[in-house]
């Protein structure tokens, strides 16, 4: 299994499966098991999401999978997780896979990472963003949330560094979390790296960035992807669906194919059963034979 050397000299394992045009997927290729899998299910997440996406694409594409989120939690980059360094890390993964040109699909902040990649390289053959708006993104709100998380982490120095998750109350239905009662178990360094990322994005003009994107582009979001945080988490509303819905016509004019998944929230819209029926035919149309 190849490894990519990242901007801080750490390395990340890269799994390659299938043949065809290359698609980079920043996902965990190994299904999570045991108590952590149960906790993910309580959040409404799929412990085998990465594997499901890989298996759903690898019959037609060379899928390059790497758990970037898991890596930065295991080896935090509190002062260096900048947009430029993240984009450089993604290119390093492509280099490790021997891919000169490639497509990229990321969800949530990893979709944001793809946008940063797209404006920094001409090697991107197609860009798919899920769960984060390409236009009018909530950069200010995310800085407030990550700053609040960092302050909470600093106030709880005994938080276990080996468990990069938060624990929803046991009486919450799956996927429904009362943020006022969630406890932070991320470390100071783990949370500070995301403060670093969003601080660096405060002057980012995603409207001006559109002219620098040349490849085919797809965005998908659940229509209910709206997250309200109480005062403990900065007291902000992080709106991920509304910018896509409001700017849908403009995004299409700018060259984006837009999909709004009716009634789905952030966790629901990221599931392979929702993503693959959109992503796979789109990739085939833009990267497949005869495209």
């Amino acid at each position: 299994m190849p490894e990519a050397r990242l901007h801080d000299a750490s390395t990340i394992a890269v799994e390659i499966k299938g043949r065809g045009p290359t698609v980079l997927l920043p996902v965990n290729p190994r299904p999570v098991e045991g108590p952590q899998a149960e906790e993910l299910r309580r959040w409404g997440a799929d412990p085998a999401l990465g594997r499901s996406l890989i298996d759903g694409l690898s019959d037609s594409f060379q899928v390059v999978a790497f758990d970037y989120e898991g890596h930065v939690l295991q080896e935090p980059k509190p002062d260096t997780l900048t947009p430029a360094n993240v984009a450089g890390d993604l290119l390093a993964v492509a280099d490790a896979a021997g891919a000169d040109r490639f497509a990229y699909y990321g969800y949530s902040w990893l979709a944001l990472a793809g946008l940063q990649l797209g404006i920094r390289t001409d090697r991107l053959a197609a860009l798919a963003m899920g769960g984060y708006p390409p236009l009018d993104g909530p950069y200010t709100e995310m800085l407030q949330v990550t700053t609040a998380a960092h302050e909470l982490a600093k106030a709880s120095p005994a938080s276990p560094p080996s468990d990069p998750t938060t624990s929803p109350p046991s009486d919450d239905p799956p996927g429904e979390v009362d943020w006022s009662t969630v406890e932070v178990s991320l470390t100071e360094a783990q949370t500070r790296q995301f403060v670093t990322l969003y601080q660096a994005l405060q002057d980012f003009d995603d409207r001006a960035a559109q002219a620098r994107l040349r490849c085919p582009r797809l965005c998908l979001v659940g229509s209910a992807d709206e997250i309200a945080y109480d005062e403990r988490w900065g007291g902000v509303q992080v709106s991920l669906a509304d910018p896509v819905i409001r700017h849908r016509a403009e995004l299409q004019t700018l060259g984006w194919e837009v999909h709004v998944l009716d009634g789905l929230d952030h966790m629901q819209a990221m599931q392979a059963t929702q993503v693959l029926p959109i992503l796979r035919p789109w990739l085939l149309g833009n990267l497949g034979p005869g495209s």
Side-chain angles (χ1 to χ4, degrees):
M1 183 178 295
E3 290 187 338
R5 184 168 296 276
L6 306 183
H7 74 271
D8 61 344
S10 64
T11 58
I12 186 172
V14 178
E15 178 177 310
I16 302 175
K17 182 178 181 183
R19 298 181 63 182
T22 299
V23 179
L24 262 61
L25 287 183
V27 298
N28 185 355
R30 297 183 178 181
V32 177
E33 299 178 345
Q36 190 179 3
E38 291 305 313
E39 185 168 341
L40 287 170
R41 292 188 184 97
R42 288 211 53 78
W43 280 93
D46 176 9
L49 174 62
R51 176 50 54 188
S52 297
L53 291 171
I54 294 165
D55 291 345
L57 295 173
S58 58
D59 64 327
S60 298
F61 303 98
Q62 176 178 262
V63 177
V64 177
F66 56 106
D67 188 7
Y68 191 67
E69 182 170 74
H71 174 82
V72 302
L73 290 173
Q74 289 296 320
E75 299 193 38
K77 308 166 196 320
D79 300 312
T80 63
L81 196 73
T82 63
N85 281 341
V86 170
D89 287 348
L90 300 179
L91 289 173
V93 170
D95 290 342
D100 179 54
R101 284 184 61 77
F102 53 89
Y104 176 91
Y105 165 70
Y107 194 87
S108 196
W109 77 274
L110 294 168
L112 178 161
L115 180 60
Q116 295 300 312
L117 174 67
I119 64 174
R120 287 175 166 84
T121 183
D122 60 1
R123 294 170 60 183
L124 202 57
L127 169 62
M129 294 177 60
Y132 201 92
L135 199 58
D136 201 16
Y139 299 101
T140 300
E141 294 84 352
M142 286 306 303
L143 178 59
Q144 292 176 267
V145 172
T146 52
T147 298
H150 181 235
E151 292 299 319
L152 290 169
K154 287 196 299 182
S156 304
S159 297
S162 61
D163 180 11
T165 60
T166 51
S167 299
S170 60
D171 58 350
D172 278 344
E176 296 182 19
V177 180
D178 180 359
W179 285 97
S180 65
T181 60
V182 169
E183 296 301 323
V184 175
S185 60
L186 295 172
T187 66
E188 186 275 338
Q190 286 171 329
T191 54
R192 181 152 54 97
Q193 64 187 339
F194 294 107
V195 176
T196 296
L197 177 65
Y198 286 104
Q199 280 178 335
L201 287 165
Q202 292 309 290
D203 294 327
F204 176 60
D205 185 342
D206 55 14
R207 184 175 298 278
Q210 300 299 318
R212 298 161 65 183
L213 298 169
R214 302 297 185 186
C215 64
R217 301 178 292 286
L218 166 76
C219 72
L220 62 92
V221 69
S223 68
D225 198 343
E226 306 288 331
I227 306 173
Y229 294 89
D230 71 5
E231 291 302 321
R232 187 165 171 261
W233 294 87
V236 296
Q237 173 88 14
V238 175
S239 183
L240 299 167
D242 183 65
V244 176
I245 295 169
R246 283 190 292 110
H247 296 301
R248 184 170 192 164
E250 183 178 4
L251 284 166
Q252 291 171 331
T253 299
L254 288 168
W256 291 85
E257 182 173 314
V258 180
H259 292 262
V260 178
L261 305 178
D262 188 40
L264 301 189
D265 62 18
H266 197 67
M267 287 295 188
Q268 293 166 337
M270 75 187 299
Q271 304 308 315
T273 53
Q274 302 296 334
V275 172
L276 286 173
I278 296 171
L279 179 62
R280 179 182 165 84
W282 181 80
L283 287 171
L284 285 169
N286 287 284
L287 302 180
S291 65

